[in-house]
Amino acid sequence: MLLDALIILHIAAGLTAVVSGIDAMRVPKRPGRHPSRGRIYLGALAVVAVTASGIAIARPHTAYLLILGGLALAAAGTGYAARRRRWHGWLRHHITAMALSYITLLTAFYVDNGPRLPVWKLLPPYTFWFLPAAVGLPLLLRALHHHPAPSNTHRASHEETVP
């Protein structure tokens, strides 16, 4: 009974993270929706990680999901910190960390659920581990291409001024 409630909360938080993450990626990067959705994403990921802990205790064979959840949360926390602290090159750090967090979140979902999903269940199991990265990393590289690294001599680049 308690495990069922934990799993329901875990699923709801995971869906919230997926939707808020997509929304944060697609809206303009300025005060308002982007940071609001990013905070929702980070909070939902924290719930996913906490509930994954409880699920892993009840079902030790799922402990690898706890590791993936922890990595996703750590990456998102790093992205959030880069944005808040605005260290040199913060925007590229923010983009990279948040993208890696999202890729890791989707990897955990597909590794756990892929074998039961229509079409996905036809794929070899190793696909669930690599397909999110195969799709997400080129998109990350594209985003980084649009936000080149600031030069060391000119720290007041556009990158440092984006809210």
Side-chain angles (χ1 to χ4, degrees):
M1 185 72 137
L2 180 60
L3 180 60
D4 291 339
L6 198 60
I7 291 171
I8 289 169
L9 180 58
H10 183 78
I11 292 168
L15 286 172
T16 300
V18 168
V19 171
S20 60
I22 289 171
D23 200 30
M25 285 183 253
R26 68 173 197 80
V27 299
K29 310 310 181 251
R30 59 178 179 241
R33 280 179 64 186
H34 179 76
S36 170
R37 295 316 182 268
R39 284 188 296 275
I40 292 169
Y41 174 76
L42 185 59
L45 257 179
V47 173
V48 166
V50 168
T51 55
S53 299
I55 295 167
I57 290 168
R59 296 181 175 167
H61 66 280
T62 64
Y64 66 93
L65 295 173
L66 175 58
I67 294 167
L68 290 172
L71 290 172
L73 181 58
T78 300
Y80 181 77
R83 167 64 178 91
R84 298 286 297 175
R85 294 195 176 112
R86 302 253 180 153
W87 56 58
H88 183 65
W90 72 267
L91 184 58
R92 290 173 62 87
H93 289 284
H94 174 75
I95 291 168
T96 301
M98 296 309 269
L100 292 176
S101 171
Y102 199 78
I103 290 167
T104 305
L105 173 71
L106 292 179
T107 300
F109 171 80
Y110 287 119
V111 166
D112 191 41
N113 298 293
R116 293 181 296 281
L117 296 173
V119 181
W120 281 86
K121 65 183 175 184
L122 302 173
L123 298 173
Y126 66 85
T127 307
F128 309 135
W129 284 96
F130 298 107
L131 195 56
V135 172
L137 291 177
L139 294 173
L140 168 58
L141 293 174
R142 181 174 154 231
L144 291 174
H145 178 73
H146 289 293
H147 299 281
S151 69
N152 288 332
T153 58
H154 185 58
R155 294 185 66 124
S157 71
H158 168 73
E159 179 179 85
E160 257 53 25
T161 61
V162 174

